[in-house]
Amino acid sequence: MEAEPKVEPPSDQWADMAWTMLTTVRRQSPLIQCITNFVSMDLMANTLLSAGASPAMLHTLEEIPHFTPHVHALCLNVGTLSADWLPSMKAAANFAFNSSKPWVLDPVAAGASGFRLNACLELIQLKPTVIRGNGSEILALSKASVQPTKGVDSSHESTDAIEAAKSLAQATGAIVAVSGAIDIVTDGKRVIGAHNGVAMMQKITATGCSVTALIAAFVAVDPSNAFEATALALSVFGVAGEMGMRLAKGPASLRMHLIDSLYGLDEATLISHVKITTFCD
């Protein structure tokens, strides 16, 4: 018998789900291993702590067999990728997969070089639960091609990459998220948009990396609903940005208030601000 297609919740249920998910993360404090870049370590760790999760920025190959099987989720980020770190990333992804633990890939600047693109494609073969990138990164992965790039910045809107994201999801079995003014999430069939956040978040380095870590934490506490968990993490992070922007004077103070706002999010604030909609069929 063919399985019935999943249907995303009505818009008024997403907000309730967001609060449930955030409180579950706070209660369970999942251990999230991050093998990430030097630029983003601080903000990623503080994002996880502020949300209630427990970060572990552990990347040494020799420690992975003893540590990774015990984490609740793994986050891999190739922002400052080197040949020395790639074996650690592959080993950790293997251990996560073999231990039935979710793992999330952030393919930073995937199309910037052949080395970086090939590394990302090799990691994708290890079955990530979620792939989260900007429009240019998702297009590069979907086409498996090196493309002109602005470093880690996207040359494309998230909506430009919807079809590429759907194709990538279908080819890999991963949930694919595309960050942008509207965050797109797809499982290859369903496509939804998370409409939270503020433009100035793009002026703070590592906000994209940090929301990937938050996705890992949300998926860790509800791995059977990775599609919903991914959308909710993007929305919650965006709401924290909106709250932080009310007090911020610029990117530096927004960074501080973003962390504080994520830590202090309450039920009424979150439920009244979450905006997730069906983007297209």
Side-chain angles (χ1 to χ4, degrees):
M1 174 181 282
E2 185 176 349
E4 294 184 3
K6 289 187 176 182
V7 178
E8 64 270 15
S11 58
D12 59 349
Q13 291 184 16
W14 282 109
D16 290 332
M17 291 169 60
W19 178 245
T20 298
M21 185 75 71
L22 181 58
T23 56
T24 302
V25 170
R26 289 171 171 174
R27 183 178 69 253
Q28 295 186 6
S29 189
L31 177 60
I32 311 300
Q33 180 185 357
C34 301
I35 304 181
T36 186
N37 68 76
F38 294 115
V39 178
S40 69
M41 284 185 183
D42 174 73
L43 188 55
M44 286 177 71
N46 281 296
T47 294
L48 288 170
L49 287 168
S50 298
S54 179
M57 320 310 271
L58 183 147
H59 61 266
T60 302
L61 181 60
E62 288 77 10
E63 291 187 285
I64 285 170
H66 306 282
F67 189 85
T68 304
H70 304 291
V71 305
H72 297 104
L74 169 70
C75 178
L76 298 184
N77 178 299
V78 302
T80 52
L81 183 65
S82 72
D84 293 337
W85 278 29
L86 189 54
S88 296
M89 291 181 173
K90 291 180 179 179
N94 263 319
F95 275 107
F97 178 76
N98 291 331
S99 302
S100 299
K101 306 291 176 63
W103 75 273
V104 182
L105 174 64
D106 193 328
V108 180
S113 70
F115 169 70
R116 185 173 292 266
L117 177 63
N118 289 333
C120 289
L121 295 176
E122 290 173 11
L123 289 168
I124 286 173
Q125 295 301 312
L126 303 176
K127 301 295 182 182
T129 309
V130 181
I131 302 169
R132 200 286 319 164
N134 61 38
S136 295
E137 291 158 356
I138 297 305
L139 283 163
L141 290 180
S142 179
K143 297 178 180 180
S145 64
V146 175
Q147 301 178 355
T149 177
K150 295 168 60 181
V152 300
D153 296 328
S154 182
S155 301
H156 301 84
E157 297 294 335
S158 58
T159 50
D160 296 335
I162 289 177
E163 292 306 316
K166 289 172 68 176
S167 296
L168 185 62
Q170 292 166 0
T172 62
I175 303 302
V176 176
V178 192
S179 293
I182 302 170
D183 296 322
I184 304 299
V185 182
T186 183
D187 60 3
K189 295 181 180 178
R190 296 175 291 171
V191 182
I192 59 172
H195 301 256
N196 294 108
V198 294
M200 194 178 288
M201 293 171 75
Q202 298 177 16
K203 301 298 184 181
I204 306 170
T205 188
T207 50
C209 304
S210 297
V211 78
T212 303
L214 189 63
I215 289 170
F218 275 40
V219 174
V221 301
D222 195 2
S224 63
N225 291 298
F227 177 80
E228 291 81 2
T230 299
L232 293 168
L234 289 161
S235 186
V236 167
F237 193 74
V239 171
E242 293 170 9
M243 297 302 100
M245 192 66 214
R246 294 181 177 183
L247 301 170
K249 296 180 179 179
S253 55
L254 177 57
R255 184 185 192 278
M256 176 183 70
H257 291 301
L258 169 64
I259 295 170
D260 284 350
S261 296
L262 180 58
Y263 175 80
L265 274 179
D266 58 39
E267 183 175 7
T269 300
L270 187 58
I271 286 179
S272 64
H273 285 82
V274 165
K275 186 177 181 182
I276 299 174
T277 63
T278 300
F279 197 80
C280 64
D281 296 327

